[in-house]
Each structure stands twice: as C-alpha cells, then as structure tokens.
Amino acid sequence: LLSLGTGTTSEFDKTHTAEETAKWGALQWMLVIQQMTEAASSYMTDYYLSTVFQDLHSQNNYLRVQENALTGTTTKADDASEANMELLAQVGENLLKKPVSKDNPETYEEALKRFAKSLSDRKKLRANKASY
C-alpha cells in the first residue's frame, strides 16, 4: 500500500501566548480545532495502517509519503500558479532525500525504488503464472 499525503504545515510547532489566544475569536478557534482534528486523523490512520502491516510481518508492503513541514504558499491547495507549482516540485525533490522515519533511515527515494521493484516483480510473477 502506497499512501500519498497532501502534506501538513508546521503550524503546530508554533507556540502562542495566552495574550494572543485571548484575542482569538470563534472562527480562529474553529480553524485551530479543525486543523488539529485533521492532523490527528491523518496521524492515526497512518499509525493504524503501519501497525497492521507490522503485525502481519508485511511492513515492507506499506509506505506513507508525507511532507510535514509545508510553509507559505505551498500550504494553499487553491494556488496553482507556476511559481507555487515549482515550489511544490522542489518540496517533493527535497522530500525524496529525507529519511522515511526516525526508526527507518532509508530515504523516500530508496523506499520508492524498492516499492516499485517489488510491484514490478509481483506483476512479472503473475504474468508468468498466467502463461502456464
């Protein structure tokens, strides 16, 4: 299973003072709650799937690809400008060089190549079985 995320912001890395949050209106609080809920849902889905694949001794059959530190215009889903597309392409290029996780030093590039080879090998195996 190849799970492709749309990316998350580093918004939760920011801290806010009591003075700042005291000035927030209902809309700001609703946006914060929505962001937290979406982030928790994405994280929990990834955690659940990862755990299931580990329990089945098939952890090499699951890969989640997700950038967790989007900033600026790269966080805007409706910005299809050429400049933003170039920024997003660069985010993707940079992500390929990052390790998959703290526990897995394999880069996303290496993991995707391994994953693609596994899928190709399985397709060849099915084709060979079908020809008998």
Side-chain angles (χ1 to χ4, degrees):
L1 174 65
L2 179 60
S3 176
L4 299 175
T6 58
T8 61
T9 67
S10 56
E11 188 71 25
F12 298 108
D13 294 338
K14 294 180 183 176
T15 58
H16 300 281
T17 65
E19 291 79 22
E20 287 177 310
T21 58
K23 296 175 187 172
W24 289 359
L27 180 59
Q28 180 67 30
W29 280 109
M30 287 189 331
L31 289 172
V32 168
I33 291 169
Q34 179 186 6
Q35 288 175 342
M36 290 174 60
T37 303
E38 288 173 2
S41 175
S42 174
Y43 173 79
M44 289 307 297
T45 300
D46 177 42
Y47 179 79
Y48 173 74
L49 287 171
S50 179
T51 301
V52 168
F53 275 82
Q54 285 177 17
D55 287 347
L56 295 172
H57 305 288
S58 298
Q59 54 269 26
N60 286 337
N61 293 330
Y62 174 72
L63 177 62
R64 172 73 173 171
V65 179
Q66 167 97 331
E67 174 56 65
N68 293 315
L70 295 176
T71 59
T73 60
T74 62
T75 65
K76 300 189 183 317
D78 62 348
D79 185 350
S81 67
E82 187 173 335
N84 199 45
M85 293 297 105
E86 289 175 11
L87 281 172
L88 287 169
Q90 189 59 55
V91 167
E93 291 289 327
N94 293 342
L95 182 61
L96 287 173
K97 306 300 181 205
K98 290 182 179 180
V100 171
S101 70
K102 288 185 240 175
D103 301 330
N104 182 357
E106 181 181 43
T107 66
Y108 279 105
E109 183 174 28
E110 294 165 337
L112 287 166
K113 285 179 181 178
R114 176 184 47 77
F115 209 79
K117 182 174 181 348
S118 175
L119 290 173
S120 176
D121 290 347
R122 288 177 190 212
K123 183 178 180 185
K124 289 174 188 173
L125 183 63
R126 282 194 306 274
N128 286 342
K129 285 183 179 180
S131 65
Y132 287 115

